[in-house]
Amino acid sequence: MAECQAQNKAKLISDVRRRFEAEYVTDKSDKYDLRDVERLQHDDNWVESYLCWRHNVVDETLKMLDESFQWRKEMSVNDLTEASIPRWLLEIGGIYLHGYDKEGNKLFWIRVKYHIKDQKTIMDKKKLIAFWLERYAKRENGKPVTVMFDLSETGINSIDMDFVRFIINCFKVYYPKYLSKMVIFDMPWIMNAAFKIVKSWLGPEAVSLLKFTSKNDVQDYVSVEYLPLHMGGTDPFKYSYPPLVDDDFQTPLCENGPIASEDEASSKEDIESDGKETLETIPNEEQTALLKKVNINEPTFKAEENEKVDSKMKAFKKPLSVFKGPLLHISPAEELYFGSTESEEKKALITLTNVTKNIVAFKVRTTAPEKYRVKPSNSSCDPGASVDIVVSPHGGLTVSAQDRFLIMAAEMEQSSGTGPAELTQFWKEVPRNKVMEHRLRCHIVESIKPTTLTLKHHAFNMSDKTSEELYLQLNRLLESNRKLEDQVQHCIWFQQWLLSLTVVSLAFVISLFYLLYS
């Protein structure tokens, strides 16, 4: 059955390509960007996304491709860069990618209060939407996003139906299958009529993707760690530019270039990050042992060096946030916490947990391979097991908030070996669409901030009991701080309300006396 479905799908994809080339491209090639036409002939996932959205009806798919390709050329989508967008639009923070919903889909934030209807700037705003979606599509190739329409503090001046219709068309025509859901938060009653129109634009198939929420139920779709304070969440994120805020899709350059590809940097990074410190002085057998995973169910390790690493890792407290991917749960979810620049040795911990029934191979890449040591950087994780990865700056180099780490993971066959040679061959052969990717950015913790997430040298000497007590105290302190902030906000609100009531009452009394004596 599965084989038959695959054959039917391949036939449909082939029909779309053949007919689009014959009926649309011939004598009309100037309508499209040739890069899109070429991509259509090679990217099965792209063709399939259009087919699925049109229920595998080839004629409808061709019309959709024609409209989409013309739009891509008009907007110069393939050439959109950061420099194409006015700086003030990037600085205002009205549109950006940040965080994940409960299903692991990226959140695409649209802060409507920052949008003022203006025909002079509408094209630039449309380009900004296209810029982010194209940036995301090139990285994730089919993985959907959840659109967060934040309507809090929105007034009548922000209602722009042309702009809303453009966003709807992006997901209906230009980026099919990329919409997981559209969460509408805190919609004012004045916009009820407007969103009835939006429903008609979406069509019956996509109306179910609209989720109208308030502060009480938005957590049904997004956990508190990725919700801002005004939505009842705990995310301390504050938008700023530059750089682009979305850590998942930045490729900042270093002396050795951007994030290395799978094959280009395997030998260099594995040797530099895993071999300089300890592997030079021990036999080959123990070198292999050091690359093995740290299984939480295994009490001992074969090599003495592994025992030392394990004892150090026990002193590290697990980060508080978790990214729940289809193959691995990764903690922390977004940021690696390092000590302040004044501190001495700084280390950070990444914990990977295999949530599948098969062995998962993983490797870690970085935008600054000359700056960091990662142990292990290329290994595997058994079903249900966890692996702790230690990241440390090399040679006293300074941690930068611009540095990024890329974690790649893919399922292995049960019969596959997990030695260095087998892993190298596995990564050469695994299809790109089978690889899970997750990116982390670096965060420097100042000395006045909580430091239980900072892996300093003295942490290795702390007992498990002491570390656990500090960890619990920190959690209690953070929770108390959060409650105190809520109380302060309530007090401020009450004072403002009381002041307003006093002013109104005073005005009423003065008016009353004036009427009585006049």
Side-chain angles (χ1 to χ4, degrees):
M1 178 66 72
E3 184 178 350
C4 182
Q5 290 178 346
Q7 290 177 350
N8 289 337
K9 186 182 295 183
K11 183 179 183 302
L12 285 171
I13 292 173
S14 177
D15 287 346
V16 168
R17 286 171 173 161
R18 177 180 54 78
R19 288 187 56 186
F20 189 78
E21 185 74 27
E23 299 173 22
Y24 288 85
V25 177
T26 306
D27 300 328
K28 301 176 184 177
S29 59
D30 57 327
K31 289 201 308 179
Y32 313 126
D33 188 324
L34 293 180
R35 289 169 289 185
D36 292 330
V37 176
E38 183 179 350
R39 179 185 170 191
L40 187 74
Q41 298 300 323
H42 299 95
D43 191 339
D44 289 352
N45 289 333
W46 205 27
V47 182
E48 187 181 346
S49 67
Y50 285 95
L51 272 167
C52 289
W53 197 252
R54 294 290 89 194
H55 305 293
N56 293 329
V57 178
V58 174
D59 288 338
E60 295 297 321
T61 302
L62 292 172
K63 293 177 183 177
M64 190 176 181
L65 281 167
D66 177 51
E67 183 180 351
S68 177
F69 279 23
Q70 288 189 58
W71 170 81
R72 291 177 65 85
K73 183 171 183 179
E74 289 170 6
M75 293 287 291
S76 300
V77 172
N78 288 313
D79 298 315
L80 283 178
T81 64
E82 218 172 315
S84 308
I85 312 299
R87 186 182 176 90
W88 69 269
L89 260 183
L90 294 169
E91 289 177 343
I92 200 172
I95 301 167
Y96 56 88
L97 285 159
H98 172 72
Y100 301 87
D101 68 6
K102 287 190 172 181
E103 297 173 348
N105 300 312
K106 195 72 179 175
L107 298 180
F108 186 34
W109 291 88
I110 300 177
R111 305 290 304 279
V112 181
K113 73 174 184 178
Y114 294 121
H115 175 78
I116 303 298
K117 187 174 182 179
D118 183 1
Q119 290 301 318
K120 295 179 181 179
T121 61
I122 187 65
M123 184 55 66
D124 289 329
K125 292 172 183 175
K126 290 180 178 180
K127 284 185 177 180
L128 181 57
I129 293 284
F131 167 75
W132 275 117
L133 290 178
E134 185 68 11
R135 188 178 178 87
Y136 180 86
K138 285 179 178 177
R139 286 284 184 173
E140 295 299 332
N141 195 19
K143 188 174 181 180
V145 296
T146 292
V147 178
M148 297 293 290
F149 257 110
D150 183 3
L151 295 168
S152 57
E153 304 177 43
T154 299
I156 192 71
N157 289 336
S158 299
I159 300 177
D160 186 347
M161 300 308 292
D162 179 44
F163 188 52
V164 173
R165 185 164 197 166
F166 172 79
I167 296 172
I168 297 298
N169 278 340
C170 281
F171 291 103
K172 266 190 77 175
V173 181
Y174 312 140
Y175 295 92
K177 275 187 69 178
Y178 274 94
L179 182 63
S180 165
K181 64 184 90 51
M182 191 175 288
V183 179
I184 316 296
F185 177 77
D186 204 15
M187 185 179 72
W189 64 269
I190 199 170
M191 292 190 179
N192 284 333
F195 270 88
K196 287 182 180 178
I197 300 174
V198 170
K199 288 181 180 180
S200 67
W201 290 340
L202 278 170
E205 310 141 330
V207 166
S208 62
L209 302 180
L210 280 179
K211 311 294 180 183
F212 294 90
T213 63
S214 63
K215 196 172 183 178
N216 297 325
D217 52 11
V218 68
Q219 294 177 24
D220 293 345
Y221 306 103
V222 183
S223 58
V224 292
E225 64 180 317
Y226 292 123
L227 287 175
L229 298 179
H230 72 275
M231 288 186 175
T234 59
D235 188 358
F237 169 79
K238 291 184 179 180
Y239 182 91
S240 63
Y241 176 86
L244 290 172
V245 298
D246 180 53
D247 57 297
D248 273 20
F249 309 106
Q250 293 215 56
T251 53
L253 297 177
C254 62
E255 292 180 5
N256 291 347
I259 291 178
S261 66
E262 298 175 18
D263 300 325
E264 290 171 349
S266 292
S267 59
K268 178 179 177 181
E269 285 191 11
D270 292 345
I271 292 172
E272 287 187 356
S273 62
D274 293 311
K276 286 187 178 179
E277 194 168 71
T278 57
L279 300 187
E280 292 176 352
T281 60
I282 58 178
N284 290 335
E285 292 80 3
E286 292 187 14
Q287 291 183 23
T288 303
L290 275 175
L291 291 173
K292 294 295 182 181
K293 48 204 166 292
V294 181
N295 192 321
I296 57 175
N297 298 318
E298 294 178 1
T300 59
F301 293 86
K302 294 181 180 180
E304 182 180 352
E305 290 294 328
N306 280 16
E307 292 175 1
K308 294 179 182 179
V309 172
D310 184 50
S311 64
K312 293 178 181 179
M313 288 178 180
K314 287 181 179 178
F316 298 164
K317 289 294 98 184
K318 297 294 186 289
L320 300 177
S321 58
V322 179
F323 167 73
K324 296 181 179 181
L327 305 181
L328 296 174
H329 286 183
I330 301 173
S331 182
E334 290 197 334
E335 292 183 331
L336 284 179
Y337 288 84
F338 293 87
S340 64
T341 53
E342 292 81 12
S343 62
E344 296 179 357
E345 186 176 4
K346 306 175 289 292
K347 295 190 178 182
L349 180 70
I350 304 172
T351 301
L352 309 181
T353 302
N354 185 348
V355 294
T356 72
K357 297 181 180 180
N358 297 318
I359 296 173
V360 172
F362 68 87
K363 59 181 178 178
V364 183
R365 294 289 176 259
T366 175
T367 57
E370 79 289 347
K371 187 184 292 188
Y372 297 96
R373 288 181 178 177
V374 182
K375 296 184 178 182
S377 67
N378 188 3
S379 188
S380 61
C381 184
D382 286 335
S386 291
V387 175
D388 286 331
I389 300 172
V390 178
V391 181
S392 56
H394 172 58
L397 295 173
T398 304
V399 176
S400 170
Q402 302 298 318
D403 298 339
R404 300 290 188 269
F405 286 86
L406 171 68
I407 298 171
M408 305 172 68
E411 282 188 278
M412 303 181 72
E413 299 291 339
Q414 293 289 351
S415 58
S416 302
T418 57
E422 289 88 346
L423 286 172
T424 300
Q425 188 62 29
F426 171 77
W427 285 112
K428 289 180 179 178
E429 297 174 353
V430 65
R432 184 70 178 176
N433 60 356
K434 301 292 184 181
V435 178
M436 167 191 148
E437 293 186 356
H438 186 66
R439 292 165 178 79
L440 299 169
R441 62 178 179 269
C442 296
H443 183 83
I444 303 171
V445 181
E446 300 298 334
S447 56
I448 61 173
K449 294 183 179 179
T451 56
T452 54
L453 295 180
T454 306
L455 308 180
K456 296 183 179 179
H457 179 71
H458 64 73
F460 293 151
N461 300 319
M462 293 194 306
S463 66
D464 289 350
K465 185 176 180 180
T466 303
S467 301
E468 186 64 27
E469 289 174 354
L470 289 173
Y471 181 72
L472 293 174
Q473 288 176 7
L474 173 62
N475 279 343
R476 286 195 290 267
L477 182 62
L478 292 174
E479 182 63 21
S480 299
N481 184 64
R482 185 186 65 78
K483 290 180 179 178
L484 183 60
E485 288 179 349
D486 289 343
Q487 290 174 359
V488 170
Q489 290 297 326
H490 288 144
C491 288
I492 293 173
W493 177 84
F494 181 78
Q495 288 176 349
Q496 291 174 341
W497 177 82
L498 190 60
L499 180 62
S500 301
L501 185 61
T502 303
V503 171
V504 171
S505 300
L506 185 60
F508 177 79
V509 170
I510 293 173
S511 301
L512 186 62
F513 274 103
Y514 177 80
L515 291 173
L516 288 174
Y517 288 99
S518 61

